[in-house]
Amino acid sequence: MVETSIFPADTDHVITTRQVNFFYGETQALFDITMDIPGRRVTAFIGPSGCGKSTFLRIFNRMNDTITGTRLEGEVRINGENIYENGSNVVRLRRKVGMVFQKSNPFPKSIFDNVAYGPRIHGTKDRQELAEIVEKSLIRSALWDEVKDRLDTNAIGLSGGQQQRLCIARALAVGPDILLMDEPASALDPKSTIRIEDLIGELRNDYTIVIVTHNMQQAARISDYTAFFYEGSLVEFNATKKIFTKPREKQTEDYITGRFG
């Protein structure tokens, strides 16, 4: 079990997991993972491909439920609520836990309609209210100045980096508390990657952010805490500075220094 003493005494743990095991059919993908994730901080998951970090990330909004034959054992709580308890409201959960994927996936609609989509689904119909939500979300995602004069144009025409920031705006529009990001910059050029990293730095003050990244330099730059996964197990979890300068586990050190992985 990871010791919670790695956190300041007054830390608010927004996400907690206890002895989580996860299965794809008969294949076990995660083994006995216990972790506390602090609020309004950036937590990065690192590790080689296939180590379980994306599977673990998707547990927090029950995205794995869409895959036939999956099964979870253990306990996952968000703000104290067991999100896998019978009768848990998955729609409400996914509103509070937004997701940004590796590949930007704007809808083939206008920029405005992309951002307004979630609020509309959740019952917001008033055009003025929608316009305010869209503007606020695009400002928060650092995209407003670039698109404010063409909100009615198709979002597919945006650049890759702009599309990813649009997807972040779309996630923000429904008022989440938590943002999950699965390799959000891996398909982007260096300039766009810097914009996404800067944006994460700005959003950390208002959201709990959990990011999966293969880029260890990125994890070191943007995260407050880092978890290292290997073969479905949590090897080490600590403040990012400690993970990258003085890891407790030799396996972590070997991965950080490029000896394996």
Side-chain angles (χ1 to χ4, degrees), residues 57 76-77 94 106 145 150 156 160 177 241 252 259:
L57 184 79
V76 182
R77 291 185 179 271
R94 290 179 182 157
D145 288 341
R150 51 184 176 129
I156 302 301
D177 299 321
K241 185 176 181 180
T252 308
R259 293 193 183 99

Side-chain angles (χ1 to χ4, degrees), residues 22-232:
F22 189 81
F23 301 82
Y24 292 103
E26 297 300 316
T27 302
Q28 187 166 358
L30 298 173
F31 298 83
D32 198 31
I33 297 181
T34 290
M35 178 185 287
D36 296 321
I37 295 178
R40 297 192 178 187
R41 295 291 185 272
V42 179
T43 298
F45 294 169
I46 64 172
S49 296
C51 68
K53 54 190 184 294
S54 289
T55 295
F56 190 55
L57 184 79
R58 292 194 299 265
I59 280 173
F60 303 147
N61 66 349
R62 295 187 55 169
M63 192 65 71
N64 292 321
D65 291 11
T66 63
I67 304 171
T68 302
T70 57
R71 175 168 56 92
L72 179 138
E73 297 175 350
E75 185 178 274
V76 182
R77 291 185 179 271
I78 292 181
N79 292 321
E81 179 183 343
N82 185 343
I83 65 170
Y84 282 86
E85 195 171 50
N86 288 339
S88 179
N89 188 324
V90 178
V91 173
R92 181 168 60 87
L93 171 69
R94 290 179 182 157
R95 182 175 184 175
K96 290 299 182 183
V97 185
M99 184 102 184
V100 178
F101 297 93
Q102 178 177 3
K103 185 178 180 182
S104 57
N105 57 341
F107 303 138
K109 301 174 180 286
S110 71
I111 294 168
F112 184 96
D113 287 341
N114 263 269
V115 183
Y117 180 84
R120 281 175 172 148
I121 289 293
H122 290 288
T124 303
K125 304 299 182 185
D126 181 77
R127 177 75 183 187
Q128 181 59 37
E129 185 178 356
L130 285 170
E132 291 172 0
I133 292 171
V134 168
E135 179 176 350
K136 181 180 178 181
S137 301
L138 288 170
I139 289 172
R140 294 307 310 270
S141 64
L143 190 57
W144 174 251
D145 288 341
E146 297 168 45
V147 302
K148 62 184 178 182
D149 297 323
R150 51 184 176 129
L151 295 178
D152 292 332
T153 61
N154 197 309
I156 302 301
L158 296 173
S159 70
Q162 289 174 326
Q163 287 186 10
Q164 193 64 302
R165 280 182 283 144
L166 178 68
C167 291
I168 293 172
R170 194 170 65 195
L172 296 177
V174 295
D177 299 321
I178 299 167
L179 279 179
L180 309 179
M181 298 184 168
D182 195 353
E183 295 277 0
S186 65
L188 303 179
D189 61 83
K191 184 177 179 180
S192 296
T193 295
I194 291 172
R195 294 294 299 273
I196 295 293
E197 290 183 4
D198 288 345
L199 176 57
I200 292 170
E202 293 167 9
L203 294 174
R204 71 171 2 116
N205 295 321
D206 298 305
Y207 302 92
T208 300
I209 299 175
V210 188
I211 179 171
V212 165
T213 178
H214 279 95
N215 187 327
M216 286 186 285
Q217 291 76 24
Q218 182 176 81
R221 285 192 298 266
I222 68 173
S223 69
D224 301 288
Y225 296 91
T226 296
F228 170 54
F229 290 81
Y230 187 72
E231 294 186 348

